[in-house]
Amino acid sequence: MGNFIKRTLSAAIFAIVLLAGITLHPIGFLAVFLGITLMGTFEFYKLAKKANSSPQCITGMIAAGILFLACFANTYLNSSSVFLVFSVTLVMIPIIELYRKKENPFANIAFTFLGLLYVALPFSLLNYMVFPFNDQQFHYEILLGVFVMIWANDTGAYLVGVNFGKHRLFERISPKKSWEGSIGGAITTIGIAWLCSTYLSDLTLIQWLIVAVIIFVFGSIGDLVESLFKRSINIKDSGNILPGHGGILDRFDAILLVSPMVFVFLQAIKEFF
């Protein structure tokens, strides 16, 4: 019972902080998701060390923070100057490696860049969901809908998979996931997309449905990719920051692939529609 209460409390606090960051104010969004970006990047570099590499944790986290701030400044303040600082930081990564005298320098550089590509970039692109229309106005509806659909996809897949799952989806990576569960998650996500179109007006019904397809396809793949990373270094959870729920990467595995694809879709809407 004690473990159940701990899991429930940590999940409730996590949800409250996340929803507050999404819905209340741009500065709240900045504080919450910049913190998540830094914690997720740090967690990734800790995992990379288990793969016998020595990524530049401090430099990588600085670059991750600057990337998020650059995207925030670009969308909220219509300024691209912080991207110049980010570019300089990227150049410094291989230069710094020259002086570290660590084994496997190529792998160290590669994992440092991978942390930025796999973790920091997807979180940074969330800025373009809350500021999607180049009007410097805070539109939380798209990001809120994306997270609600991700949670719906996970919940639907779990409930259907537990009760009806017989055919394994990707047994080598995640033995418990089933095709039946994936179909259940897809149907649940489409239902939530319809509700989003009813109560959240930033996208049309067709656009919400396309976002739903992106989420149940790339959200599921994101889950599998993170499971692949963990399985390759023989660990169960990416971290323990959320008691009973694992780490940041465990909680946000879907958004790491969903975010870039939703970003591309939103840019396509602005470009062609």
Side-chain angles (χ1 to χ4, degrees):
M1 180 61 71
N3 188 51
F4 174 77
I5 294 174
K6 184 186 295 186
R7 284 174 55 88
T8 302
L9 286 175
S10 63
I13 294 171
F14 168 74
I16 291 170
V17 171
L18 193 66
L19 291 173
I22 292 172
T23 60
L24 293 183
H25 191 274
I27 301 304
F29 167 81
L30 171 64
V32 169
F33 283 92
L34 176 59
I36 290 172
T37 300
L38 294 175
M39 289 187 291
T41 305
F42 176 72
E43 198 171 86
F44 177 85
Y45 290 143
K46 283 182 63 179
L47 297 182
K49 290 179 180 180
K50 296 181 182 293
N52 298 318
S53 71
S54 299
Q56 297 175 32
C57 184
I58 295 176
T59 309
M61 289 181 65
I62 291 172
I66 293 173
L67 177 59
F68 190 93
L69 291 173
C71 292
F72 182 80
N74 183 236
T75 53
Y76 185 46
L77 304 175
N78 196 28
S79 171
S80 59
S81 58
V82 185
F83 283 115
L84 301 177
V85 181
F86 176 68
S87 299
V88 173
T89 309
L90 290 183
V91 173
M92 292 302 298
I93 291 173
I95 295 175
I96 290 172
E97 193 64 32
L98 288 172
Y99 298 93
R100 296 181 74 215
K101 298 180 181 179
K102 298 283 187 178
E103 295 182 359
N104 303 316
F106 186 83
N108 299 339
I109 295 172
F111 272 112
T112 303
F113 280 119
L114 183 58
L116 299 176
L117 178 65
Y118 177 62
V119 182
L121 178 62
F123 283 124
S124 298
L125 292 178
L126 298 182
N127 284 283
Y128 294 89
M129 294 185 205
V130 293
F131 303 107
F133 303 127
N134 295 330
D135 58 3
Q136 283 77 58
Q137 297 298 312
F138 187 61
H139 300 268
Y140 68 84
E141 294 184 350
I142 295 175
L143 185 57
L144 177 63
V146 165
F147 271 106
V148 171
M149 282 191 281
I150 287 174
W151 295 335
N153 184 43
D154 290 345
T155 302
Y158 174 77
L159 293 177
V160 174
V162 165
N163 291 285
F164 304 103
K166 294 182 180 180
H167 301 87
R168 298 301 99 184
L169 176 65
F170 216 117
E171 191 167 9
R172 179 173 64 88
I173 302 301
S174 186
K176 294 182 179 180
K177 295 188 183 301
S178 65
W179 281 104
E180 292 83 358
S182 294
I183 294 170
I187 293 172
T188 306
T189 307
I190 289 173
I192 296 299
W194 177 79
L195 289 175
C196 287
S197 71
T198 302
Y199 296 102
L200 305 176
S201 60
D202 278 344
L203 299 179
T204 66
L205 173 59
I206 297 300
Q207 291 167 346
W208 278 116
L209 290 175
I210 293 173
V211 172
V213 173
I214 291 172
I215 285 170
F216 70 70
V217 171
F218 290 95
S220 300
I221 295 173
D223 189 347
L224 290 171
V225 168
E226 203 247 351
S227 295
L228 176 65
F229 285 164
K230 293 189 295 184
R231 188 169 287 269
S232 68
I233 54 177
N234 298 313
I235 63 169
K236 180 181 178 182
D237 295 323
S238 65
N240 56 8
I241 193 170
L242 299 170
H245 296 275
I248 293 294
L249 300 183
D250 294 320
R251 293 302 91 203
F252 291 96
D253 51 8
I255 201 68
L256 298 179
L257 293 193
V258 166
S259 173
M261 300 309 298
V262 172
F263 167 78
V264 169
F265 175 60
L266 293 177
Q267 297 307 304
I269 291 175
K270 288 199 295 185
E271 185 72 23
F272 302 109
F273 298 98

